[in-house]
Amino acid sequence: MKISKELISESEIQSKINEIGDQINEDYEGQDLLIIGILKGAFITVSDLAKRLKVDVSFDFISVSSYEGTETSGQVKIEKDLDIDISGKNILIVEDIFDTGLTLSYLKKILDSRNPKSLEFMCMFIKDTDKTTSLDIKYHGFKIGPEFVVGYGLDFEGKYRELPYLAVLS
Ligand code: 5GP
């Protein structure tokens, strides 16, 4: 497979990250924040965002699986849990892409039961598809069409994550 089309450029993505970083700095001023990145796709978003943050922030990662190839399996499983106890903390979950919402609504249920002080979501890309859930995403990057995308952390069979822009495959 070859990359057919750049959907969102590196500079558009970086200016959106700046915008979201500024907003987070304002919203969490004077407070602690624990950012939880969902592996593997969110690693680039978390690392770019981290460099913009001025609040008292720490990081952890969780790994879940929900997809195989380009098809949803409808299954969400925790592959690697958090290392940090989140009770009483302000949590921001960072996800690469929001499609049906299955992954995040599942995580919300699990993490809410661990009694965080607050729990919010950031998604870099939101797919314009039927949602199985109506989750409130506090920080979002770009709305995109229903096509399968790669780059900026998103893969196809383990490849293309390193691209600094978002693309569709042919
Ligand atoms: P949801 O649970 O919201 O349906 O799906 C979220 C997960 O599905 C994302 O974390 C991502 O792993 C995967 N996913 C959904 N759409 C795409 C896509 O267009 N490209 C890639 N690479 N992964 C996707």
Side-chain angles (χ1 to χ4, degrees), residues 101-116:
L102 187 75
T103 310
L104 290 190
S105 57
Y106 171 80
L107 267 183
K108 179 170 164 51
K109 219 185 294 170
I110 295 205
L111 297 182
D112 266 343
S113 74
R114 299 182 186 179
N115 302 313

Side-chain angles (χ1 to χ4, degrees), residues 24 28 45 77 81 95 112-113 124 129 131 147 153 166:
I24 292 172
Y28 291 92
T45 304
K77 196 172 95 189
D81 208 337
E95 168 72 309
D112 266 343
S113 74
M124 210 42 212
T129 47
K131 308 289 177 222
E147 62 272 12
L166 191 76

Side-chain angles (χ1 to χ4, degrees), residues 8-9 12 30 49 55 61 68-69 85 113 117 142 147 156:
I8 303 174
S9 70
E12 285 175 288
L49 184 67
V55 292
F61 291 90
E68 278 180 17
D85 176 8
S113 74
K117 183 173 170 197
F142 301 91
E147 62 272 12
F156 175 69

Side-chain angles (χ1 to χ4, degrees), residues 1-140:
M1 269 199 191
K2 287 192 184 135
I3 292 155
S4 64
K5 194 167 72 149
E6 180 179 299
L7 272 187
I8 303 174
S9 70
E10 179 175 6
S11 64
E12 285 175 288
I13 290 175
Q14 291 307 321
S15 73
K16 184 64 79 176
I17 289 278
N18 277 336
E19 215 177 277
I20 295 174
D22 287 348
Q23 191 61 54
I24 292 172
N25 287 330
E26 200 178 306
D27 293 348
Y28 291 92
E29 194 183 352
Q31 300 180 68
D32 291 350
L33 176 64
L34 173 61
I35 289 189
I36 297 177
I38 305 182
L39 293 172
K40 299 174 185 161
F43 79 104
I44 291 187
T45 304
V46 170
S47 120
D48 280 351
L49 184 67
K51 291 175 266 180
R52 270 84 174 181
L53 296 179
K54 299 187 175 93
V55 292
D56 191 354
V57 66
S58 358
F59 300 90
D60 199 357
F61 291 90
I62 192 166
S63 174
V64 296
S65 61
S66 60
Y67 269 60
E68 278 180 17
T70 58
E71 297 292 321
T72 176
S73 64
Q75 298 282 324
V76 177
K77 196 172 95 189
I78 291 192
E79 306 279 1
K80 181 221 162 278
D81 208 337
L82 298 171
D83 297 325
I84 298 178
D85 176 8
I86 65 167
S87 67
K89 298 193 172 123
N90 293 310
I91 306 298
L92 176 62
I93 310 272
V94 177
E95 168 72 309
D96 48 11
I97 192 165
F98 186 88
D99 186 3
T100 62
L102 187 75
T103 310
L104 290 190
S105 57
Y106 171 80
L107 267 183
K108 179 170 164 51
K109 219 185 294 170
I110 295 205
L111 297 182
D112 266 343
S113 74
R114 299 182 186 179
N115 302 313
K117 183 173 170 197
S118 66
L119 183 63
E120 301 289 355
F121 295 97
M122 167 184 169
C123 289
M124 210 42 212
F125 308 105
I126 314 257
K127 272 197 169 177
D128 186 15
T129 47
D130 281 347
K131 308 289 177 222
T132 56
T133 170
S134 59
L135 211 64
D136 187 20
I137 308 295
K138 188 163 187 187
Y139 307 100
H140 53 261

